[in-house]
Amino acid sequence: MPGVRKTGLKSHPRREHSGPFLLIALPGLLYLLVNNYIPMFGAFIAFKKLDYVQGLFKSPWTGFDNFKFLFQTKDAFVMVRNTLLYNLAFIALGTVCAVLIAVLMADVSRMPAARFFQAGLLLPNLVSMVIVSYLVYAFLAPETGLVNTEILPAFSMEPINWYSQAKYWPFILILTQMWKTAGYTSIVYIASIAGMDAGMYESARIDGAGKLRQIFAITLPLLKPTIIVMVLMSVGRIFASDFGLFYQVPMDSGALYDVTQTIDTYVYRGLMRFGNVGMSSAAGLFQSVVGFILVLGANSLVKRFSAGDSLF
Amino acid sequence: MKRTSTAILALTLAATLFAGCSSTGGFGPEGTQEVGAGAAPAADTPEAGPEVPAQADEVVFYCLSFTNIPDSYDQVNTAINEHIAGTYPEANVKLKLQLFGPVEYEEKIRLAMQSGTPVDLFTPLGLANYVAQNQVLPLEDLLTEYGRDVTAIIHEDIGTDAFKTYEINGHTYGVPINKGMVVTPTLIYDKDMLAATGYSIDSINSLRDLPKVFDKIKELYPEVFPYANTNQGDTHIIPILAGENDIDVMMDRVTYMGVVFGDSGQVVNLYDTPWFAEYVGIMRDWYEKGYVPKDMATSPSTATEYFNAGRLFSTIAGYGGNEIGALISASTGRNIGNKWIAPFYFDSSAASLATAVSSTSKSPAAAMKMINILYTDEFVINTILYGIEGMDYVKVDEHHWTYPEGKDVNTVSYTAAFSTGIVGSEKLQLQTAGVSYEDVLLKLRQNVECKRSPYYGFTFDPSKVVNEITALNNVYSQYIPGLVCGSLDPAVALPEFNKALKDAGIDALIAEKQTQLNAWIAANR
Amino acid sequence: MANKIIKTGSSGPKPEVLTPGERGFRVFAIFALTAVALAAFLPFILIAVSSLTSEQALIKNGYSFFPKEWSVYAYTYMARQWEIIARAYAVSLGVTASGTAVSLLITSMLAYPMANEKFRWRNQLAFFVFFTMLFSGGVVPQYMLYARVLHINNTYLALAIPNYLMSAFNVLLVRNYYKHNIPPALIEAARIDGAGETGIYFRVVLPMSVPVMVTIGLFTGLAYWNDWVNAFYYVDAPRFYGIQNLLIRMMNNIQFLTSPSNSAVTSGLTLQLPSNGIRMAMAVIGIIPIVLIYPFLQKHLVRGVIVGAVKG
């Protein structure tokens, strides 16, 4: 490394700093190499019929056979549609909620109550989806749930058998997801706002800009890079879904499959009695490849319109 | 993200297996009987054990346990190995026991085998998949050479045809856990409530006899549900159907796709038959009349919890023996009775879990010698299950054990007490104090006496229709809980369900089963 | 720019004077955030109350804020195993603290070069990092690497190193923060003063990244705290179990013990296990330490993320 530095000094001015930079980055790079890149070669299991005697490497190749089960039936349409639409909703609504919370938090940051609010932002992220599913059940259970026993009667409405009425579930699932993640995500935006130059707000105030104007003219434009990065990262996972949210929260109710079946739940339900490593790897690889293509596209769009903000 | 979902997969898989267990025999302590096959020498705890020869072949046994994993089981391994060295010096084997919880069990086996970590013996949960991926060894030659004692004891307790159900493509891949396998559909009911209705249990002989009692129950106890599930989303009507109509489920005791009635030799779709339609209709009727909780198809609350809360009159589930009512009474302090409500039909799917030898085993001969010891040596079995006598458990009498004074399942230093259905031969296991000896004998008798399907021994290799099965599994979990619990209207949902089954490829599955069955019949005539 | 930051940084907190418009916005903010916080807190109170409700009442009346019958059975049941619970707490705390500390360092070290215009491979590096978010080789190759090559299975390292030591998401967040919140002029000034890249990183960049460090520290810490997967794959002995892993095992065993047709029934003592209550008690046990530590943490959080940074 020192060698690079000396020789590079004059003859290659652009490479002048690469050595020290790489040195700083080295521990992290090594970790990613070991933890992520080397194991990535295992993805070829998706194209193999695993045979334990022959081992990972010598098992016979099967081409795309392991992928077939994903597209076997018309369920393919339903699960892809659900996965995509929910993720789009989560990205759009999630961003709006998180940014809104962050803006509001920034305004009250000097009040003692800020601590109380901040704790509230983190709490829902502390429980697992299994516990969340029991909480949702506490509210929606047909016989004993709080909604049917307390809330609906108060408005003299009939109890609803929630777990067999598919039409309510897009809202319930989106609400649950927002409850669990919006506060947590907003912390990223709060940190970004915190890093902003307070002087700009002072000058804007002196110029007579109202609160809303400050938000739209200063805060949001400054948040734009963070928002773009967050959205791009979500696009990469647009074909994946939180298994707990779509399987455990609806209590695996068959009547709701039309609106709760995602790629992950389908794979789980189909393979749970097989333990077929090849097929589950195939599903994972498919999700990753599609996410990868989409994110490349989205990133080049960002590059075209807002060069400095692209992810890579 | 992915790792978590795999882990959840493993976890829920384990949960489904438990659910499956209640209809395939359970892990219950089921046999207390002095060994008949004369293979096991009397097992006194050796005072100071003989040296374990260093060059003995080590056999690694991955054992499923449902209690806290002990901090160390060196003492148990040592005690067992001293005993083995002293009793079977010619075998020249030693045991390395490793316990795993249900969350991790199968994943640990897979990881060990793929990464070259030694593992010799384990209990596959779903043998066919292990065979398909070449994870287990054929055992027939090993059994003849090193497994004569274990073969004898299993022939006696399960039947001479016992190994057939572990045969795939002409090879035997497992040694069945030796225990009662018959699980008769059993009505479990509150005796006091029944008495209050004025009906006698003798007047209840099938599902159809229940509504008159339920009406009375609802009248007398408005807070009580006449009926609730034992397992989530399953009213047990399909096993009842199978028992009443001699249906061989062709190895699929989970989704029942493609079955054979009696000795017809024809594989058919159970869900497209008038018998299924009738029972689904009965359940719809129960649902509409309010005999069952409205959320029975999805509710995580099951019969046990309702019984405990005093809100339940009855449930139906599969049990071995005939004393489950007494046992539930003893633990709840309520007056619970039981009655067989349909016969059990003994087909290949009745087969219990089996012990298998890993295909990566360095010494299959040593592994089989160890199986022979595991199934025939009282000391080894009970030490694996309950630990060191005096420290981890005490003997109550010849057949029964209990925890030492002041200790329980969570506080003893070693126990695998709930693995009784996993380890070897239940005949030789000590029973939990309070379990009746008569019932244990009954369960073993049932194995041999139960009506057998003419296709007993047929096994199905699903590898050619894996894609169809994944799709069918999804259709099954979408419709069946709603249909069998009555929350779906069969007039609408049953045709829809059958249409979805067709779309998912049930015909291809049935055709494949038929082909394999025809071949099996030809070979076994 | 640099001067300005230093100037605002040195001026102390000023009393706030609000215009009527700003006051209106403040009221709205407080109202909205109170709603968000209540939505977060109430379910937790429900969890805590449920863990103290008798099992009979739970089955009979469902979950309720005002149970008809209280019971501490779930906790006395858990208390019998206090030794292993305490040990698991210690494991989790140790792993969380050490893992998070190392993670913060290597994450920001990797992010800094990616944010620096002077580093010619910054976009390639970002891509290298982001790629790990999309593709994974699955469990098996990773297991083989850690267990069979590096031999860290059955050590505490196995809990801290795999998966959580660095997340691409956090790296990109930090890079984004550096890119937009650290004035290049400041770095230039340090360079003119003769500081090398490593010197700049440790003396200028690191001290300025408090808000984002607190943010990703929080994310990483929670990820470690909530992890049960590493212990699941990489260790066999119970002394390595963290609290979440232990709780999941206990839950699973209870699920087995209370499922009716197995040996547990016949052993006669387990039928009355309050599985619903214990489930909730376990959720409480998993959260309690965070709730206890949080007030101490929050001092830094509020100063770091909100108050401190807004004021520069």
Side-chain angles (χ1 to χ4, degrees):
Chain A
M1 281 300 165
V4 174
R5 210 173 159 184
K6 265 181 198 147
T7 54
L9 202 64
K10 276 191 180 151
S11 51
H12 304 284
R14 263 170 65 77
R15 222 195 263 169
E16 175 185 359
H17 292 293
S18 295
F21 278 129
L22 280 175
L23 200 63
I24 297 175
L26 196 62
L29 286 179
L30 276 180
Y31 178 76
L32 288 182
L33 199 67
V34 170
N35 189 69
N36 300 80
Y37 277 94
I38 296 177
M40 236 177 247
F41 290 104
F44 71 80
I45 299 178
F47 303 98
K48 291 247 178 183
K49 183 184 184 304
L50 190 60
D51 180 319
Y52 281 74
V53 173
Q54 290 167 318
L56 279 185
F57 295 100
K58 291 184 190 148
S59 291
W61 296 96
T62 59
F64 284 90
D65 274 6
N66 285 334
F67 293 82
K68 279 187 186 148
F69 81 105
L70 284 173
F71 310 101
Q72 184 88 4
T73 62
K74 65 176 178 6
D75 298 342
F77 169 72
V78 174
M79 67 192 183
V80 169
R81 177 198 67 191
N82 288 346
T83 313
L84 273 179
L85 289 183
Y86 278 114
N87 272 322
L88 288 176
F90 293 163
I91 292 173
L93 262 178
T95 308
V96 171
C97 291
V99 169
L100 180 67
I101 291 173
V103 167
L104 297 179
M105 281 298 288
D107 191 62
V108 302
S109 65
R110 296 211 294 181
M111 300 173 65
R115 292 186 163 211
F116 166 70
F117 296 146
Q118 205 176 34
L121 298 183
L122 284 173
L123 261 181
N125 213 271
L126 288 177
V127 275
S128 68
M129 267 298 176
V130 181
I131 298 296
V132 173
S133 75
Y134 281 93
L135 278 173
V136 172
Y137 189 75
F139 284 94
L140 299 184
E143 308 262 354
T144 53
L146 288 172
V147 175
N148 277 0
T149 56
E150 313 275 339
I151 300 172
L152 291 183
F155 295 95
S156 40
M157 286 160 74
E158 286 296 303
I160 293 168
N161 200 346
W162 297 98
Y163 288 88
S164 60
Q165 303 279 318
K167 60 184 172 192
Y168 300 113
W169 280 84
F171 303 101
I172 296 171
L173 291 176
I174 290 173
L175 193 69
T176 308
Q177 172 77 2
M178 289 306 120
W179 176 79
K180 190 151 162 46
T181 61
Y184 193 66
T185 321
S186 76
I187 293 183
V188 174
Y189 297 111
I190 293 174
S192 283
I193 295 177
M196 287 172 190
D197 176 10
M200 287 163 77
Y201 290 95
E202 275 310 312
S203 353
R205 283 190 74 193
I206 292 162
D207 292 348
K211 193 72 202 173
L212 286 180
R213 189 152 169 71
Q214 286 174 35
I215 290 169
F216 281 101
I218 305 174
T219 315
L220 291 184
L222 284 176
L223 275 182
K224 194 180 79 174
T226 312
I227 294 174
I228 288 176
V229 166
M230 295 287 283
V231 169
L232 279 179
M233 287 198 279
S234 321
V235 169
R237 287 189 294 215
I238 205 159
F239 257 49
S241 58
D242 183 332
F243 178 80
L245 178 67
F246 293 97
Y247 187 89
Q248 278 150 348
V249 173
M251 295 281 173
D252 188 23
S253 172
L256 310 177
Y257 280 12
D258 252 0
V259 295
T260 58
Q261 186 84 285
T262 65
I263 298 174
D264 293 281
T265 61
Y266 184 83
V267 170
Y268 171 78
R269 287 183 181 115
L271 293 182
M272 62 192 218
R273 281 187 290 279
F274 280 125
N276 188 317
V277 183
M279 286 161 85
S280 50
S281 311
L285 191 62
F286 169 68
Q287 291 173 307
S288 298
V289 169
V290 176
F292 181 57
I293 293 168
L294 288 176
V295 88
L296 280 187
N299 190 60
S300 62
L301 272 183
V302 171
K303 244 183 180 155
R304 178 170 306 170
F305 293 109
S306 178
D309 297 327
S310 65
L311 203 48
F312 42 79
Chain B
M1 208 62 94
K2 279 253 329 277
R3 295 166 57 88
T4 319
S5 75
T6 338
I8 292 169
L9 187 88
L11 191 149
T12 325
L13 180 66
T16 4
L17 275 158
F18 301 155
C21 281
S22 84
S23 51
T24 52
F27 295 104
E30 278 151 17
T32 307
Q33 186 183 327
E34 200 52 10
V35 55
D44 293 323
T45 319
E47 290 285 277
E51 278 289 291
V52 180
Q55 77 286 4
D57 293 316
E58 184 173 80
V59 177
V60 182
F61 177 29
Y62 274 31
C63 180
L64 188 52
S65 171
F66 306 93
T67 53
N68 288 339
I69 306 295
D71 276 349
S72 151
Y73 23 96
D74 294 348
Q75 251 184 311
V76 168
N77 273 325
T78 311
I80 290 172
N81 286 327
E82 284 173 359
H83 173 81
I84 290 176
T87 321
Y88 315 94
E90 74 291 347
N92 194 34
V93 290
K94 59 181 177 184
L95 181 72
K96 187 181 176 201
L97 177 70
Q98 283 196 274
L99 301 181
F100 297 99
V103 205
E104 61 193 345
Y105 186 64
E106 293 211 285
E107 192 70 34
K108 289 278 190 190
I109 294 172
R110 277 197 282 269
L111 289 175
M113 292 189 67
Q114 288 176 353
S115 68
T117 310
V119 48
D120 300 288
L121 296 181
F122 53 77
T123 316
L125 313 173
L127 192 60
N129 304 320
Y130 282 73
V131 173
Q133 303 190 39
N134 210 351
Q135 282 173 274
V136 290
L137 287 181
L139 301 178
E140 57 275 7
D141 297 342
L142 293 167
L143 274 166
T144 344
E145 193 157 351
Y146 306 107
R148 254 161 285 160
D149 301 330
V150 63
T151 310
I153 202 174
I154 283 169
H155 280 174
E156 179 181 317
D157 287 345
I158 309 179
T160 45
D161 47 5
F163 282 95
K164 279 210 261 169
T165 52
Y166 304 91
E167 218 173 85
I168 296 173
N169 302 326
H171 296 292
T172 305
Y173 286 99
V175 180
I177 309 294
N178 191 17
K179 63 177 180 183
M181 294 180 173
V182 170
V183 279
T184 318
T186 306
L187 175 75
I188 296 154
Y189 61 97
D190 189 306
K191 279 186 179 167
D192 297 336
M193 289 186 196
L194 183 69
T197 62
Y199 287 101
S200 146
I201 189 63
D202 296 331
S203 69
I204 303 172
N205 294 302
S206 83
L207 281 187
R208 296 171 196 81
D209 300 330
L210 283 166
K212 59 179 189 213
V213 185
F214 288 172
D215 282 331
K216 200 79 189 175
I217 292 280
K218 272 182 79 73
E219 195 184 306
L220 294 171
Y221 310 96
E223 277 284 283
V224 166
F225 289 114
Y227 186 91
N229 284 340
T230 292
N231 292 320
Q232 185 172 343
D234 172 20
T235 43
H236 214 67
I237 58 167
I238 302 177
I240 294 173
L241 258 179
E244 287 177 343
N245 298 290
D246 291 352
I247 297 172
D248 187 316
V249 301
M250 301 274 110
M251 288 302 279
D252 181 0
R253 200 165 275 273
V254 181
T255 63
Y256 306 93
M257 303 270 181
V259 302
V260 175
F261 281 71
D263 55 3
S264 67
Q266 289 301 310
V267 183
V268 295
N269 174 8
L270 171 67
Y271 303 117
D272 208 8
T273 63
W275 292 277
F276 183 71
E278 186 204 342
Y279 272 48
V280 164
I282 291 178
M283 284 302 144
R284 179 64 178 175
D285 191 46
W286 288 17
Y287 176 85
E288 286 184 325
K289 293 197 170 128
Y291 297 154
V292 299
K294 287 277 183 247
D295 56 345
M296 192 163 67
T298 50
S299 165
S301 298
T302 51
T304 322
E305 294 173 358
Y306 284 118
F307 266 130
N308 276 328
R311 282 198 76 187
L312 184 61
F313 167 64
S314 72
T315 184
I316 297 176
Y319 285 101
N322 201 12
E323 295 208 341
I324 184 64
L327 291 167
I328 296 181
S329 303
S331 70
T332 55
R334 297 177 55 234
N335 196 5
I336 305 290
N338 64 277
K339 175 172 185 174
W340 292 338
I341 195 127
F344 181 77
Y345 191 59
F346 208 90
D347 61 16
S348 295
S349 70
S352 68
L353 295 173
T355 309
V357 177
S358 159
S359 59
T360 58
S361 172
K362 291 276 185 296
S363 174
M368 181 51 78
K369 287 181 197 164
M370 188 56 77
I371 290 184
N372 206 43
I373 295 171
L374 277 180
Y375 278 68
T376 53
D377 189 302
E378 209 177 323
F379 175 82
V380 173
I381 292 175
N382 289 310
T383 308
I384 291 177
L385 288 176
Y386 310 120
I388 308 289
E389 190 180 349
M391 185 172 89
D392 301 320
Y393 78 98
V394 290
K395 267 190 175 173
V396 179
D397 57 41
E398 196 184 354
H399 297 297
H400 295 89
W401 72 281
T402 190
Y403 295 105
E405 193 64 37
K407 296 279 189 181
D408 65 23
V409 59
N410 291 319
T411 51
V412 289
S413 66
Y414 176 98
T415 191
F418 299 129
S419 303
T420 48
I422 302 290
V423 180
S425 186
E426 295 209 271
K427 265 180 110 162
L428 304 176
Q429 292 163 357
L430 293 172
Q431 303 297 315
T432 310
V435 174
S436 141
Y437 182 58
E438 285 307 306
D439 206 44
V440 169
L441 292 180
L442 170 65
K443 285 185 207 173
L444 284 171
R445 248 193 348 264
Q446 285 179 319
N447 275 345
V448 188
E449 289 170 0
C450 188
K451 183 173 182 186
R452 267 174 165 66
S453 158
Y455 313 110
Y456 179 77
F458 168 76
T459 53
F460 177 60
D461 169 15
S463 52
K464 283 198 188 125
V465 280
V466 175
N467 293 336
E468 283 79 8
I469 293 176
T470 55
L472 289 167
N473 285 347
N474 270 285
V475 177
Y476 176 89
S477 41
Q478 177 168 7
Y479 287 97
I480 281 293
L483 278 170
V484 301
C485 295
S487 48
L488 287 177
D489 178 3
V492 185
L494 195 52
E496 243 179 64
F497 173 48
N498 275 307
K499 169 96 177 23
L501 287 175
K502 279 227 181 317
D503 291 344
I506 193 168
D507 293 336
L509 173 67
I510 287 177
E512 177 65 20
K513 274 194 169 176
Q514 188 72 60
T515 312
Q516 292 188 24
L517 180 64
N518 291 346
W520 185 88
I521 292 172
N524 284 272
R525 182 155 290 141
Chain C
M1 191 82 156
N3 289 339
K4 203 164 164 190
I5 286 218
I6 290 160
K7 218 189 325 181
T8 45
S10 59
S11 66
K14 289 168 278 186
E16 282 188 293
V17 187
L18 298 180
T19 67
E22 285 171 339
R23 196 167 296 131
F25 186 82
R26 175 73 47 95
V27 169
F28 168 72
I30 291 173
F31 183 76
L33 289 171
T34 308
V36 170
L38 281 183
F41 277 108
L42 286 180
F44 280 86
I45 294 169
L46 191 61
I47 292 178
V49 171
S50 310
S51 73
L52 290 166
T53 306
S54 86
E55 194 70 1
Q56 259 77 342
L58 279 183
I59 297 292
K60 224 172 198 150
N61 317 315
Y63 300 97
S64 162
F65 286 102
F66 310 102
K68 297 217 162 64
E69 208 181 317
W70 297 84
S71 158
V72 293
Y73 186 84
Y75 290 95
T76 49
Y77 174 83
M78 301 293 288
R80 272 187 270 156
Q81 307 177 62
W82 70 270
E83 275 170 330
I84 53 175
I85 292 176
R87 181 174 63 185
Y89 271 147
V91 169
S92 278
L93 280 175
V95 168
T96 301
S98 50
T100 307
V102 176
S103 172
L104 282 180
L105 188 67
I106 66 171
T107 300
S108 72
M109 280 166 73
L110 180 55
Y112 171 63
M114 283 163 49
N116 199 307
E117 299 272 327
K118 286 264 182 338
F119 182 48
R120 65 187 297 207
W121 292 317
R122 61 185 185 283
N123 275 344
Q124 285 86 336
L125 201 59
F127 184 78
F128 182 86
V129 171
F130 179 68
F131 196 74
T132 64
M133 276 180 77
L134 296 175
F135 289 94
S136 96
V139 174
V140 177
Q142 202 187 33
Y143 176 85
M144 287 167 83
L145 193 63
Y146 281 123
R148 306 293 293 171
V149 181
L150 302 174
H151 294 290
I152 62 165
N153 54 327
N154 289 318
T155 66
Y156 291 107
L157 287 181
L159 303 178
I161 291 181
N163 300 314
Y164 300 102
L165 202 51
M166 196 161 71
S167 104
F169 179 82
N170 290 345
V171 178
L172 295 173
L173 274 189
V174 178
R175 172 191 79 146
N176 201 52
Y177 183 89
Y178 286 165
K179 223 161 125 178
H180 298 283
N181 297 66
I182 297 197
L186 213 63
I187 293 176
E188 215 33 65
R191 193 168 285 137
I192 290 163
D193 289 347
E197 287 309 330
T198 15
I200 293 174
Y201 168 73
F202 282 107
R203 272 181 276 143
V204 182
V205 176
L206 208 52
M208 286 195 69
S209 40
V210 175
V212 74
M213 285 301 186
V214 172
T215 308
I216 67 158
L218 200 67
F219 289 176
T220 313
L222 284 180
Y224 272 115
W225 182 261
N226 286 327
D227 168 57
W228 56 280
V229 176
N230 276 354
F232 171 86
Y233 287 115
Y234 294 108
V235 303
D236 296 327
R239 71 194 149 100
F240 295 114
Y241 294 166
I243 188 72
Q244 306 291 350
N245 188 279
L246 181 74
L247 293 178
I248 280 184
R249 283 164 191 278
M250 287 179 164
M251 200 61 247
N252 248 264
N253 288 336
I254 288 176
Q255 190 179 343
F256 170 76
L257 298 179
T258 50
S259 88
S261 333
N262 57 48
S263 60
V265 175
T266 55
S267 72
L269 13 95
T270 44
L271 250 185
Q272 284 124 326
L273 274 185
S275 57
N276 288 291
I278 288 185
R279 196 180 286 122
M280 291 301 157
M282 285 182 175
V284 172
I285 287 171
I287 299 167
I288 279 282
I290 301 188
V291 173
L292 292 181
I293 294 172
Y294 189 72
F296 300 98
L297 217 75
Q298 199 177 33
K299 256 205 319 229
H300 301 279
L301 211 67
V302 174
R303 201 165 51 207
V305 177
I306 300 177
V307 183
V310 167
K311 291 284 108 197

